[in-house]
Amino acid sequence: MPNVKVEKVTKKFGDFTALEDINLSINDGEYVSIIGPSGCGKTTLLRIIAGIIRDYEGHVYVNGELFDDKPLEKRGIGYVFQNIALFPNMNVGGNVSYSPRAKGFNSDMIRSMTLEMLELMKLTERYYDYPIRLSGGMQQKTALARALASGAKLLLLDEPLSLLDLKVRTELRYELRRIVKDLGLTAIHVTHDQEEAMAISDRIIVMRKARIVEEGTPLSLYLRPKKIFTSYFLGESNVLEGKVMEADDRFLKIDVGSIILKAKNTGFQEGEKVVVMIRPEFIQLANDGVEGVVKKKTMEGLFTRLIVDIKDLKITVKQPYWRVHNIDVYSMVKLEFPEEHILVYEYPERGLYSEISLY
Ligand code: ATP
């Protein structure tokens, strides 16, 4: 069960900085996901840990051993790429058994390891099929089985489930976590799918523009993100600019334009300019709430999304279908903003837009 330490890693491609001063510690047996906008450097970081990119500043340690000059094939890392790289001239069984064969295990062992991984991925019946005959999802599962059969204790997974349909992806994400935990592996998983990251990870690392913004457990990043960007990027948030009208030891009253919101005081003073965030699913419909008019209503699976105008303010609300099924567009609703779910941040020096822009 390896631990990984990335120390002051910077990677430039010509004048372009793909990673800047990345410091990261991943514990034995931890399942960590990396999320962030496209191009923020996630894959570059995985490739550096894997040993595919070798010219970078800083250091990578695995189990305390300096890995910077260690050849890729000696790192004992299983890497599942975004672009699946199965051996086209080998069938599924051949692909999955490649690593045990290369290691010279005896044939019984090779067969049992291969069959175990195929069974885990529900691919046993595809043993004799060549990659060209597999769907994208099956190819991804074969790549996963191959990485697991390699006996690697550290798994680097770059969008490993992205080609699967939603149902299989949802099932397989739990399987993947279970396998990693059962086999005592350490996993670093890059994904665009925030739900996947929330469901699968012990810890999530949020990146933006070549840097790590914040890291924490899925729940802490969802409920109490320390950075505006995290709150904006992970899940969904109403982002409002405001000014503190009143501040006492416990509470704030914040003018966000058309309404005054009450929030817990986490160290703000009267007159301060702030950013206020509240997630759409925490806003409630309540008889004594603030009145607004529903401008848009969309079904999103179990949730229904309402866009509510409160004078000049546009608020997104997400409620279970059954709670809002009889509310039509243009009807009046009353919204309550529970103070325990209102997050207040210092107004960023460089302005709000630069804080939440993705690129
Ligand atoms: P995505 O989520 O879209 O896969 P990412 O966060 O994984 O993106 P990277 O693939 O790490 O991003 O790329 C980070 C930046 O570095 C991108 O702007 C990319 O264009 C650039 N980049 C990556 N590899 C190279 C390369 N070999 N030469 C030049 N630029 C590169």
Side-chain angles (χ1 to χ4, degrees):
M1 289 206 288
N3 62 57
V4 179
K5 193 164 176 214
V6 174
E7 199 176 80
K8 294 186 178 163
V9 163
T10 293
K11 170 66 194 165
K12 295 194 166 116
F13 293 107
D15 290 343
F16 178 78
T17 304
L19 291 174
E20 189 159 8
D21 197 26
I22 300 292
N23 291 288
L24 188 62
S25 282
I26 293 167
N27 300 322
D28 279 352
E30 206 178 7
Y31 202 119
V32 170
S33 292
I34 305 179
I35 62 169
S38 190
C40 71
K42 305 179 293 292
T43 297
T44 304
L45 180 56
L46 277 200
R47 288 173 161 233
I48 286 175
I49 298 170
I52 298 167
I53 295 176
R54 303 292 285 278
D55 54 332
Y56 53 88
E57 293 164 39
H59 303 294
V60 173
Y61 300 87
V62 175
N63 278 338
E65 183 188 345
L66 186 63
F67 258 40
D68 298 339
D69 295 322
K70 201 172 176 86
L72 183 144
E73 61 281 5
K74 295 206 168 139
R75 294 191 175 206
I77 289 175
Y79 189 7
V80 180
F81 294 84
Q82 207 164 5
N83 309 320
I84 305 142
L86 295 176
F87 303 119
N89 55 335
M90 291 182 196
N91 61 23
V92 168
N95 266 281
V96 176
S97 62
Y98 176 79
S99 181
R101 275 187 285 123
K103 285 182 180 151
F105 292 160
N106 69 46
S107 55
D108 285 350
M109 183 116 164
I110 294 169
R111 193 163 172 76
S112 79
M113 283 173 83
T114 305
L115 289 177
E116 189 186 338
M117 292 312 153
L118 291 177
E119 181 67 33
L120 273 176
M121 293 296 160
K122 302 196 170 57
L123 278 173
T124 315
E125 284 170 16
R126 294 292 185 154
Y127 192 102
Y128 295 104
D129 283 344
Y130 283 82
I132 199 163
R133 292 198 52 200
L134 302 176
S135 67
M138 281 173 189
Q139 291 186 31
Q140 262 186 337
K141 290 209 269 181
T142 307
L144 274 171
R146 187 177 60 180
L148 291 168
S150 75
K153 294 289 180 204
L154 174 58
L155 275 187
L156 305 180
L157 306 165
D158 196 346
E159 298 278 1
L161 309 177
S162 60
L163 294 178
L164 302 166
D165 62 62
L166 182 63
K167 191 146 181 61
V168 179
R169 193 163 81 213
T170 313
E171 276 171 22
L172 199 57
R173 70 165 73 130
Y174 296 113
E175 271 302 283
L176 194 53
R177 182 182 161 88
R178 187 187 63 73
I179 292 165
V180 165
K181 293 290 170 183
D182 283 359
L183 300 180
L185 312 179
T186 303
I188 311 178
H189 178 138
V190 163
T191 178
H192 273 104
D193 183 336
Q194 307 194 358
E195 253 183 51
E196 185 173 297
M198 299 281 282
I200 210 167
S201 321
D202 297 313
R203 185 156 51 114
I204 297 177
I205 291 163
V206 183
M207 288 184 66
R208 174 193 177 233
K209 293 185 187 173
R211 288 178 169 271
I212 292 176
V213 174
E214 187 171 358
E215 51 189 282
T217 62
L219 202 60
S220 70
L221 293 185
Y222 175 68
L223 290 178
R224 295 269 166 260
K226 291 194 181 72
K227 296 287 168 59
I228 294 173
F229 181 77
T230 310
S231 174
Y232 175 73
F233 184 75
L234 183 73
E236 210 181 335
S237 270
N238 289 284
V239 183
L240 310 169
E241 297 192 15
K243 190 173 175 190
V244 178
M245 305 306 290
E246 280 177 47
D248 65 25
D249 292 348
R250 296 182 58 210
F251 294 106
L252 300 170
K253 283 193 178 157
I254 303 167
D255 184 350
V256 290
S258 303
I259 47 174
I260 307 279
L261 291 175
K262 190 175 171 191
K264 287 191 174 168
N265 192 352
T266 47
F268 292 91
Q269 310 283 329
E270 195 178 309
E272 263 187 272
K273 198 172 173 189
V274 290
V275 174
V276 174
M277 314 283 263
I278 182 160
R279 296 202 182 276
E281 53 273 31
F282 292 147
I283 299 172
Q284 299 298 325
L285 299 169
N287 287 337
D288 54 353
V290 191
E291 201 167 55
V293 58
V294 176
K295 281 297 175 78
K296 205 169 166 195
K297 181 180 179 185
T298 30
M299 274 281 283
E300 292 180 356
L302 289 176
F303 276 96
T304 297
R305 171 194 300 269
L306 305 176
I307 306 293
V308 178
D309 281 3
I310 303 177
K311 295 180 211 156
D312 293 335
L313 216 55
K314 259 195 195 328
I315 301 289
T316 304
V317 181
K318 266 174 150 176
Q319 289 286 310
Y321 165 76
W322 57 268
R323 217 176 266 165
V324 291
H325 69 97
N326 56 355
I327 295 177
D328 297 320
V329 175
Y330 298 122
S331 52
M332 301 302 286
V333 286
K334 289 182 172 175
L335 302 182
E336 187 191 21
F337 299 81
E339 59 206 32
E340 67 273 25
H341 290 303
I342 295 181
L343 303 173
V344 187
Y345 299 90
E346 257 177 58
Y347 194 85
E349 251 173 52
R350 288 176 297 130
L352 180 55
Y353 179 75
S354 80
E355 194 69 17
I356 59 178
S357 76
L358 300 182
Y359 310 107

